[in-house]
Amino acid sequence: MTSKEICELVWSHAEGYAKEVGCIIWDVRFFREGGDWCLKIILDTDPPGGVDINMCEHVNRAMDTKLDELDPIEQSYFLEVSSPGVDRELYRPSDYDKFAGSLVDVKLYKKAADGSKTFTAVLSSRNGEDIVFDRDGEEVTLPMSAIARCNIHFDFNDFND
């Protein structure tokens, strides 16, 4: 099976287990990291941010058993179930829609016209394949294909007050 097929299969089975504990699947990834393979199931809630350790444990145990039964992955791997975290990555069109109005950190594949490759801005909207940002009062429109990463901005300094 390809990585994509593995992710689709895992998503289809994990969805039911996540629903049992009030979660949704944010993403499923199968990737190589430092020589080891990792199957990562990322849970979320609606509204976002309500995932706890018990939810992750439930889905992990259920999927561990299900994956042993299905045996879709030839190589050895680590199973990880987690939340998207405070700096969740946005990559699907629906992610950009859902988090419009949020402060985000953007990394581009190539430098922008002003020479920057990274910036922090407010995610204004999505128009088809174009993402609109408010960068210090200036509207910046970029095609999704130009964005290497877009994460919700999280500032730990906000907790020092």
Side-chain angles (χ1 to χ4, degrees), residues 99-104 119-125 132-136:
F99 289 95
S102 299
L103 192 62
V104 293
F119 62 89
T120 299
V122 174
L123 170 59
S124 296
S125 62
V132 181
F133 300 96
D134 178 343
R135 186 175 175 191
D136 299 323

Side-chain angles (χ1 to χ4, degrees), residues 17-135:
Y17 300 126
K19 194 174 192 174
E20 290 173 1
V21 290
C23 291
I24 58 174
I25 303 296
W26 175 259
D27 197 16
V28 176
R29 299 178 184 170
F30 185 60
F31 58 95
R32 195 172 186 113
E33 184 173 68
D36 294 319
W37 283 93
C38 181
L39 175 60
K40 187 172 188 174
I41 302 170
I42 305 171
L43 305 177
D44 204 1
T45 56
D46 192 16
V51 176
D52 66 34
I53 190 72
N54 295 322
M55 295 168 169
C56 293
E57 181 182 11
H58 175 81
V59 174
N60 188 299
R61 288 179 190 268
M63 283 306 298
D64 190 42
T65 301
K66 190 65 170 178
L67 289 165
D68 283 347
E69 176 188 313
L70 296 171
D71 198 22
I73 303 172
E74 294 178 16
Q75 63 270 49
S76 62
Y77 62 93
F78 294 99
L79 174 61
E80 178 183 327
V81 179
S82 66
S83 74
V86 293
D87 63 342
R88 76 179 59 226
E89 183 178 0
L90 310 180
Y91 44 88
R92 292 180 297 262
S94 60
D95 299 344
Y96 288 95
D97 295 338
K98 187 173 192 172
F99 289 95
S102 299
L103 192 62
V104 293
D105 296 318
V106 180
K107 181 177 181 183
L108 305 174
Y109 286 111
K110 296 179 182 176
K111 289 183 180 178
D114 68 356
S116 65
K117 196 169 178 179
T118 62
F119 62 89
T120 299
V122 174
L123 170 59
S124 296
S125 62
R126 180 180 66 88
N127 184 8
E129 290 297 311
D130 289 336
I131 308 301
V132 181
F133 300 96
D134 178 343
R135 186 175 175 191

